[in-house]
Amino acid sequence: PRALRQNQTFDYEQAGISYLCSFLSNALDLKQAIRERDEAESLRRHAEKETEKALAINSFLTDVLRSADPFRGGRGYATTVLEAVTAAESSISERFEGQPEVEAEVRHTLGTTFMHLGKYAEAKSLLQSSLDICLQLYGEDHMLSAAKLNEIGRLCHETGEYAEAQEAFSRALSSFDKVLDGAHPLLAATLNNLGILLRDQGDLDTAERFFQDALAMKRELFGNVHEEVSPTLNNLGLLFHDKAQLGEAKSHFEEALAVNRQVCESDHPTIGINLSNLGWVLVDLGEYEKALEYFSESLAIKLKAQGENHPSTAISLSGQAAALEGLERFEEALENYRRAIEVFAQSLPDSHWRTPYTRSLYARCLLKSGSDEGAELLQDSVDVLERILGSQHPKFLEAKSALEALASR
């Protein structure tokens, strides 16, 4: 009987444990079900919000395009993209009142459009207001805020505001570091953009590390043949060109061009950039006829895509001038240099290095053509480049070397 009581007690304990285990299992299952339900509801709400955002943006952009419709009061074929976008900007706040997420994205989209059109003041106002909205909604450690910081960094870089650009890129990287676990397209883009900035500041070794990290990440994400891979290949080519490693530069430019010819239309602006960069390497290699072919094709693409007053077009103009100079077609070369200088002076701030650098090229061409007018201009250009870039930057050192060669004659 005692043993029986012990067994019965054991049975009761076993039953209690089994019941407790069953209760805990059911509770865990219920908790998991509630979590899955909450996640599904959160995804549903997010999808609805994204759909509403997309519909609102689509409606807005449709109205932008209607500004060209003569049956709706538009100017018809005479309306340019710039006019349509400019007209759209004034209605953003009223149109998206109470929809800050949508307003931020519209401002970002219009801001990048203005930047690509070379209208930097308008772009900066829109991009900054987009960032301000995101910071208010999400704080700085959020993907959308980091993306907006990256775009402001790009703009400040293009306008020669290097300190502001570096601050924006650094803040973006800090945010990505907190919200990402690994490779991401926006992180790769920011690494690439910071590399461009460092290269332009003359810090070539650090820039190369950023480019290599960006390239490895992009290849991990997209493979070897993708439109996101070619810009970093191109930037590595520019860096090796600065280091006078012309073979490395040429191979990277050729790979970038080959990728873009596979993934882009034949008249895409990116192909124009690739052709221009290859042309500059060929000028340094003394292959002037081939360089002239590349610059001519590049210029045709850029004129169609970006117009004659865009800085990118002026880069190809100055490259074409360099090829013509190598062929001793000085009159044509000088005319191309003058036009490029005019575009740079009109479209870029005084603090940007491209204008004085191109003036130094123009001055050297004047001297080669037998005119002494270039000596004073070369000296002035060297002084300005030193003030803007510092005494160790490759572009300054190149111009300074030309000035020293002139003095020794």
Side-chain angles (χ1 to χ4, degrees), residues 4 142 189 191 272:
L4 179 61
H142 191 279
L191 290 169

Side-chain angles (χ1 to χ4, degrees), residues 273-295:
I273 292 171
N274 296 149
L275 290 164
S276 177
N277 289 335
L278 261 173
W280 281 106
V281 172
L282 291 170
V283 165
D284 284 349
L285 290 170
E287 300 178 36
Y288 302 120
E289 291 285 2
K290 188 64 176 177
L292 191 58
E293 291 178 22
Y294 279 125
F295 284 126

Side-chain angles (χ1 to χ4, degrees), residues 246-267:
L246 299 183
E248 284 287 334
K250 188 169 182 282
S251 66
H252 279 80
F253 288 146
E254 288 173 338
E255 185 179 356
L257 179 60
V259 170
N260 282 329
R261 288 204 188 277
Q262 293 182 65
V263 301
C264 298
E265 296 292 332
S266 60
D267 58 353

Side-chain angles (χ1 to χ4, degrees), residues 157-160 162 196 199-200 238 242 273 276-277 280 302 310-316 318-319 337 340-345 347-362 381 384-385 388-389 393 395:
H157 178 206
E158 286 203 25
T159 56
Y162 290 162
I196 300 171
R199 171 190 162 257
D200 278 354
L238 291 168
D242 287 343
I273 292 171
S276 177
N277 289 335
W280 281 106
K302 290 182 179 183
H310 195 282
S312 185
T313 305
I315 292 172
S316 292
S318 59
Y337 279 134
I341 291 167
E342 182 182 340
V343 174
F344 288 139
S347 60
L348 298 174
D350 293 340
S351 58
H352 204 287
W353 60 269
R354 280 218 177 264
T355 308
Y357 176 70
T358 309
R359 284 197 181 106
S360 76
L361 296 177
Y362 175 66
S381 301
V384 175
L385 284 169
I388 294 173
L389 298 174
H393 194 281
K395 298 299 183 188

Side-chain angles (χ1 to χ4, degrees), residues 89-384:
E89 181 194 358
S90 61
S91 65
I92 294 175
S93 296
E94 181 180 352
R95 180 73 174 266
F96 300 110
E97 185 176 1
Q99 298 176 277
E101 299 97 335
V102 181
E103 181 179 349
E105 291 310 306
V106 169
R107 288 183 177 278
H108 178 82
T109 299
L110 293 185
T112 54
T113 301
F114 272 120
M115 178 168 63
H116 294 151
L117 291 170
K119 298 296 180 181
Y120 298 123
E122 295 89 338
K124 190 167 189 177
S125 174
L126 284 160
L127 292 175
Q128 184 62 54
S129 60
S130 174
L131 173 63
D132 291 341
I133 293 171
C134 286
L135 291 174
Q136 187 173 3
L137 288 172
Y138 314 115
E140 184 152 320
D141 296 333
H142 191 279
M143 286 293 294
L144 289 176
S145 299
K148 305 302 184 280
L149 282 164
N150 175 60
E151 208 66 20
I152 285 178
R154 286 184 60 213
L155 174 65
C156 290
H157 178 206
E158 286 203 25
T159 56
E161 300 168 280
Y162 290 162
E164 293 86 345
Q166 186 147 4
E167 180 188 359
F169 288 141
S170 297
R171 287 169 64 189
L173 286 177
S174 177
S175 297
F176 285 136
D177 187 55
K178 293 173 184 174
V179 301
L180 292 175
D181 293 327
H184 191 280
L186 284 174
L187 174 57
T190 305
L191 290 169
N192 177 76
N193 292 337
L194 187 51
I196 300 171
L197 175 66
L198 291 166
R199 171 190 162 257
D200 278 354
Q201 291 177 306
D203 189 354
L204 302 183
D205 291 336
T206 308
E208 184 175 354
R209 289 198 295 273
F210 276 103
F211 286 144
Q212 296 290 7
D213 288 347
L215 183 61
M217 189 176 294
K218 288 183 176 186
R219 282 178 162 158
E220 176 186 346
L221 290 165
F222 306 114
N224 291 328
V225 181
H226 194 278
E227 61 185 2
E228 290 294 330
V229 173
S230 60
T232 305
L233 287 167
N234 182 72
N235 291 328
L236 276 165
L238 291 168
L239 182 138
F240 288 124
H241 192 194
D242 287 343
K243 288 186 169 185
Q245 298 176 19
L246 299 183
E248 284 287 334
K250 188 169 182 282
S251 66
H252 279 80
F253 288 146
E254 288 173 338
E255 185 179 356
L257 179 60
V259 170
N260 282 329
R261 288 204 188 277
Q262 293 182 65
V263 301
C264 298
E265 296 292 332
S266 60
D267 58 353
H268 194 280
T270 304
I271 291 179
I273 292 171
N274 296 149
L275 290 164
S276 177
N277 289 335
L278 261 173
W280 281 106
V281 172
L282 291 170
V283 165
D284 284 349
L285 290 170
E287 300 178 36
Y288 302 120
E289 291 285 2
K290 188 64 176 177
L292 191 58
E293 291 178 22
Y294 279 125
F295 284 126
S296 296
E297 186 181 351
S298 169
L299 196 54
I301 292 171
K302 290 182 179 183
L303 284 169
K304 179 181 177 182
Q306 296 167 298
E308 62 180 357
N309 295 316
H310 195 282
S312 185
T313 305
I315 292 172
S316 292
L317 271 172
S318 59
Q320 187 167 266
L324 289 165
E325 179 184 343
L327 294 169
E328 298 187 355
R329 292 161 59 178
F330 296 119
E331 187 174 342
E332 296 170 79
L334 290 168
E335 177 56 32
N336 276 268
Y337 279 134
R338 280 192 289 267
R339 180 63 186 130
I341 291 167
E342 182 182 340
V343 174
F344 288 139
Q346 289 176 353
S347 60
L348 298 174
D350 293 340
S351 58
H352 204 287
W353 60 269
R354 280 218 177 264
T355 308
Y357 176 70
T358 309
R359 284 197 181 106
S360 76
L361 296 177
Y362 175 66
R364 283 179 267 177
C365 186
L366 276 172
L367 292 166
K368 284 183 183 179
S369 70
S371 171
D372 292 332
E373 296 176 14
E376 184 177 350
L377 179 58
L378 181 57
Q379 178 66 68
D380 291 342
S381 301
V382 169
D383 292 342
V384 175

